[in-house]
Amino acid sequence: AQSVTQLDSHVSVSEGTPVLLRCNYSSSYSPSLFWYVQHPNKGLQLLLKYTSAATLVKGINGFEAEFKKSETSFHLTKPSAHMSDAAEYFCVALGNEKLTFGTGTRLTIIP
Amino acid sequence: DSGVTQTPKHLITATGQRVTLRCSPRSGDLSVYWYQQSLDQGLQFLIQYYNGEERAKGNILERFSAQQFPDLHSELNLSSLELGDSALYFCASSVAEGFYEQYFGPGTRLTVT
């Protein structure tokens, strides 16, 4: 079975401070991992993906994520939060042609 | 703008009715995926079509069906609607056959009253 756990349902950070959104996965396979962002009343947008190449993946808008096999984690980070980062973020695992979504983390940016 | 279009944007209908949601993929994409997003169930994969053929099935109810036409647009048909079917329905597309990076449409919000 495959599962994705987003450890925080809600994260609040001040503008200009670092962002950390945590994701752990469980899979019998070596999964591909993705982070998607969903702004209010919008569809999901791909931020970045890991597909067994470099473990540190850079995405759009200054986000990056590091795949750590030993910790089965794929946490999303950004050095400095911007107001436009306020959104819902989904960690997604793809293994053996099965796509599993995390429950999402709502990121709030405090001015 | 992802290049994926969905119509209608909003749909309000009564229980027991049938509706059709439409999706046009990005130019050049052969795969179309349908998802349901609701407060209690989160985001769930429903079904995938690749170049007109059903490719993968997720948590799709028997009351729901989909198809992909020769011009690659897709329709999701929802019948015998129940209150619990109220949700945001997303379509996504990708160039590849297997699950890969997908581009999502803006969604159709379905309200069943």
Side-chain angles (χ1 to χ4, degrees), chain A residues 42-94:
Chain A
K42 301 279 188 186
L44 278 72
Q45 180 186 17
L46 180 67
L47 274 180
L48 49 80
K49 64 184 182 205
Y50 165 76
T51 53
S52 77
T55 56
L56 182 62
V57 182
K58 292 190 185 301
I60 62 171
N61 301 336
F63 283 95
E64 61 181 40
E66 187 172 7
F67 173 72
K68 291 187 177 179
K69 189 173 181 179
S70 60
E71 299 176 10
T72 61
S73 70
F74 189 57
H75 301 336
L76 181 70
T77 61
K78 182 172 180 176
S80 175
H82 191 273
M83 292 302 294
S84 61
D85 295 328
E88 185 101 18
Y89 291 79
F90 292 92
C91 181
V92 183
L94 171 61

Side-chain angles (χ1 to χ4, degrees), chain B residues 32-106:
Chain B
V32 169
Y33 311 77
W34 286 98
Y35 296 87
Q36 180 194 59
Q37 185 178 34
S38 61
L39 282 174
D40 23 321
Q41 304 263 17
L43 198 57
Q44 291 199 93
F45 164 67
L46 295 178
I47 196 164
Q48 178 205 1
Y49 277 80
Y50 176 77
N51 205 20
E53 301 285 330
E54 184 183 301
R55 176 67 176 78
K57 230 170 182 174
N59 300 325
I60 188 165
L61 300 172
E62 284 192 13
R63 300 183 286 109
F64 296 0
S65 64
Q67 54 184 323
Q68 187 180 28
F69 295 87
D71 67 353
L72 301 177
H73 90 271
S74 177
E75 291 180 356
L76 179 68
N77 300 296
L78 315 176
S79 60
S80 303
L81 285 167
E82 302 174 359
L83 295 177
D85 297 327
S86 295
L88 201 48
Y89 290 84
F90 286 109
C91 163
S93 74
S94 74
V95 65
E97 179 177 356
F99 286 104
Y100 198 54
E101 63 184 270
Q102 300 173 28
Y103 294 85
F104 282 73

Side-chain angles (χ1 to χ4, degrees), chain B residues 17-38:
Chain B
Q17 295 299 303
R18 173 190 167 94
V19 297
T20 297
L21 313 183
R22 185 189 166 103
C23 167
S24 292
R26 290 188 323 159
S27 176
D29 284 358
L30 299 178
S31 274
V32 169
Y33 311 77
W34 286 98
Y35 296 87
Q36 180 194 59
Q37 185 178 34
S38 61

Side-chain angles (χ1 to χ4, degrees), chain A residues 5 11 29 33 40 48 53 55 62 73 92 95 99 109 111:
Chain A
T5 303
V11 169
Y29 308 91
L33 297 162
L48 49 80
T55 56
S73 70
V92 183
L99 200 64
I109 311 297

